[in-house]
């Protein structure tokens, strides 16, 4: 029963953040699932990979719900999405292959550093700025950038919005359209990445029951049960509320989550 409540709560928060910031929710889902899987004594060899793979699977459905709300408000730019998505899919496969070769502890450390860096960026006010008019950046920039974003996103189990939104805003895309387009990009990243994590983890001798590769289905179903409802709410808030206060609060949460993952390294020896 406790597991179900945790899954539902994580899904509610992740869906809200996905719609509000276009980030996919993985920055919340991965640490929560990691803590719960560890508490349930899932083997160390697969626990972080399971958290990442399951997070990617949930983001597919969270992004669909979020994108629908952004789309009806004109928040998605199809030309920008198309120029990003091919590179992102290639990168997502590469990221999953790299993650499969990494130890769970190294993957935790990489994710912890990412969370702290992202949190500090937001706290210091160096997050995305409002772009000029709606614009379509060059495919020569977006295609390779998409590959890098897709690779990092798949490696860490996130939707990619933490990198896509600042990139698009810097290239002149309006903030709300940057968030909406980023949410749309989260779907192919998460789908390709989740399939790759299922494939690379398939047959691993330490997988728990009810897992296919590195995706744990009870957690997946619990998270999306709530995120599908809260993602549209986040999208509506993104079009209605000033974000600077929310961004600062979110940055504190990210730093705390990241430091918690890095704690064994910080205090070792």
């Amino acid at each position: 029963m406790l597991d179900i409540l945790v899954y539902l709560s994580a899904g509610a928060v992740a869906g809200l953040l996905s719609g509000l910031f276009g980030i996919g929710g993985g920055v919340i889902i991965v640490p929560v699932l990691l803590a719960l899987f560890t508490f349930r004594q899932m083997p160390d060899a697969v626990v972080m990979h399971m958290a990442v793979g399951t997070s990617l699977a949930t983001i597919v459905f969270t992004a669909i719900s979020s994108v629908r709300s952004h789309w009806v408000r004109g928040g998605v730019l199809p030309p920008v999405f198309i120029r990003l998505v091919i590179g992102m899919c290639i990168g997502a496969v590469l990221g999953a292959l790299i993650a499969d070769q990494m130890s769970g502890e190294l993957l935790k450390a990489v994710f912890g550093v990412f969370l702290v860096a992202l949190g500090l960026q937001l706290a210091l006010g160096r997050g995305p700025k409002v772009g000029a008019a709606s614009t379509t950046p060059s495919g020569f920039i977006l295609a390779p950038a998409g590959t890098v974003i897709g690779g990092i996103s798949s490696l860490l189990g996130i939707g990619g919005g933490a990198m896509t939104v600042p990139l698009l805003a810097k290239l002149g895309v309006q903030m709300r359209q940057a968030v909406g387009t980023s949410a749309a990009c989260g779907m192919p990243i998460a789908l390709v990445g989740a399939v790759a994590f299922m494939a690379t983890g398939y047959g691993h001798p330490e997988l728990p029951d009810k897992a296919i590769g590195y995706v744990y289905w009870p957690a997946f179903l619990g998270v999306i049960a709530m995120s599908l409802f809260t993602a549209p709410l986040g999208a509506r808030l993104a079009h209605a509320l000033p974000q600077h206060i929310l961004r600062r609060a979110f940055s504190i949460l990210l730093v705390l989550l990241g430091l918690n993952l890095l704690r064994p390294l910080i205090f070792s020896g």
Side-chain angles (χ1 to χ4, degrees):
M1 186 64 183
L2 175 62
D3 290 10
I4 295 175
L5 291 176
V6 172
Y7 297 150
L8 292 175
S9 299
V13 175
L16 187 66
L17 294 178
S18 174
L20 187 58
F21 294 105
I23 61 170
V27 292
I28 297 296
I29 296 171
V30 172
V32 170
L33 292 183
L34 176 61
L36 184 57
F37 291 167
T38 301
F39 177 74
R40 292 303 184 193
Q41 298 183 328
M42 193 174 289
D44 291 340
V46 300
V47 64
M48 186 62 187
H49 296 77
M50 294 292 296
V52 171
T54 305
S55 172
L56 287 169
T58 66
I59 289 171
V60 176
F61 293 88
T62 300
I64 291 173
S65 182
S66 174
V67 170
R68 186 182 299 114
S69 294
H70 282 291
W71 179 269
V72 298
R73 293 171 174 82
V76 179
L77 297 177
V80 175
F81 169 79
I82 292 171
R83 292 177 182 183
L84 279 169
V85 70
I86 296 176
M88 285 181 164
C89 290
I90 295 172
V93 174
L94 295 175
L97 293 174
I98 293 172
D100 188 50
Q101 300 302 312
M102 296 171 65
S103 69
E105 290 304 313
L106 178 57
L107 196 53
K108 287 181 191 178
V110 172
F111 191 75
V113 170
F114 173 80
L115 289 181
V116 172
L118 177 59
L120 291 176
Q121 179 191 47
L122 294 174
L124 295 174
R126 295 177 182 174
K129 299 179 180 180
V130 177
S134 298
T135 178
T136 304
S138 169
F140 290 105
I141 298 174
L142 295 180
T147 302
V148 174
I149 292 172
I152 296 174
S153 300
S154 177
L155 181 67
L156 300 179
I158 60 177
M163 294 165 282
T164 307
V165 173
L167 171 68
L168 295 181
K170 188 172 183 179
L171 292 175
V173 177
Q174 292 181 350
M175 182 60 181
R176 289 185 175 89
Q177 291 179 318
V179 170
T181 304
S182 170
C185 290
M187 287 189 294
I189 291 176
L191 178 60
V192 174
V195 171
F197 266 83
M198 284 190 283
T200 56
Y202 189 79
H204 194 290
E206 296 188 75
L207 289 178
D209 294 335
K210 301 177 183 177
I212 298 180
Y214 293 129
V215 174
Y216 186 59
W217 291 103
F220 163 79
L221 293 173
V223 169
I224 66 168
M226 286 300 296
S227 64
L228 291 176
F229 293 101
T230 57
L233 174 60
R236 288 195 292 271
L237 290 174
H239 288 262
L241 297 177
Q243 296 187 53
H244 65 282
I245 295 177
L246 293 171
R247 185 172 67 239
R248 294 294 173 84
F250 187 45
S251 71
I252 295 173
L253 176 62
L254 291 180
V255 171
L256 291 176
L257 290 172
L259 289 176
N260 183 60
L261 290 178
L262 293 171
R263 184 177 49 178
L265 293 178
I266 296 174
F267 293 103
S268 62

